[in-house]
Amino acid sequence: MLQERGRVVAIESDAIWVEATQSSACNGCSTKSSCGTGLLGDLFSSSTRVKVALNGFSADKIHLDDVAVIGITENALTSSALLVYLVPLMSLVLVALIGDSLFAEPGAVIGALIGLVFGALGVRWYSRSQSQNPTYTPVLLQIEPSQKK
């Protein structure tokens, strides 16, 4: 199970909202302050809010700004990554090949664009259809009380 820590930003009766900050791999490096890559990583870092079911945890014992440890299975992450990267790429190549065989180079270029768009739309449709699938839903593993109370 892959784990991530995030800050609790909202509490509902059956779930919490966790804000996890996305950071580059350079954040742990000792030369981060003098490295351009680390500075760019800080510039483009963002936060994502995720709704996580309580899974037996009591909402009364969770407070705002507590640290929530959430997890997702390795298989869910791997299959999702393959889907997101390979489906648009494969559809781009296949439709470009079809376009090239029918209309030469202009057909390949237009076919590649059409394939990329339809591949991306297919991924979006599939991800929305799987939004309630428990395999792809993060689970609450632990709550760590915040230090500032």
Side-chain angles (χ1 to χ4, degrees), residues 3-10 16-22 47-50 52 62-71 139-146:
Q3 298 179 4
E4 178 69 32
R5 285 179 159 60
R7 184 174 58 93
V8 177
V9 294
I16 58 173
W17 286 88
V18 178
E19 185 176 77
T21 302
Q22 298 173 353
S47 61
T48 302
R49 290 187 179 182
V50 179
V52 181
I62 301 173
H63 303 90
L64 293 178
D65 292 327
D66 283 352
V67 175
V69 180
I70 59 176
V139 294
L140 182 60
L141 301 174
Q142 182 179 350
I143 293 290
E144 301 170 355
S146 67

Side-chain angles (χ1 to χ4, degrees), residues 14-113:
D14 61 341
I16 58 173
W17 286 88
V18 178
E19 185 176 77
T21 302
Q22 298 173 353
S23 57
S24 69
C26 298
N27 281 346
C29 180
S30 62
T31 61
K32 177 185 159 196
S33 61
S34 62
C35 175
T37 304
L39 294 173
L40 283 176
D42 287 344
L43 180 65
F44 292 114
S45 67
S46 62
S47 61
T48 302
R49 290 187 179 182
V50 179
K51 187 175 183 178
V52 181
L54 290 178
N55 293 344
F57 287 85
S58 172
D60 299 334
K61 297 181 180 180
I62 301 173
H63 303 90
L64 293 178
D65 292 327
D66 283 352
V67 175
V69 180
I70 59 176
I72 191 165
T73 63
E74 291 93 349
N75 289 340
L77 182 67
T78 304
S79 62
S80 298
L82 285 173
L83 177 82
V84 166
Y85 288 109
L86 285 181
V87 168
L89 180 63
M90 295 302 292
S91 65
L92 179 148
V93 171
L94 289 175
V95 179
L97 288 173
I98 293 169
D100 184 49
S101 68
L102 296 176
F103 304 107
E105 188 174 346
V109 172
I110 293 169
L113 292 174

Side-chain angles (χ1 to χ4, degrees), residues 51 53 71-73 75-77 79-80 83 125-139:
K51 187 175 183 178
I72 191 165
T73 63
N75 289 340
L77 182 67
S79 62
S80 298
L83 177 82
W125 171 81
Y126 182 78
S127 67
R128 288 185 181 210
S129 71
Q130 296 296 313
S131 65
Q132 299 302 317
N133 186 340
T135 303
Y136 300 108
T137 305
V139 294

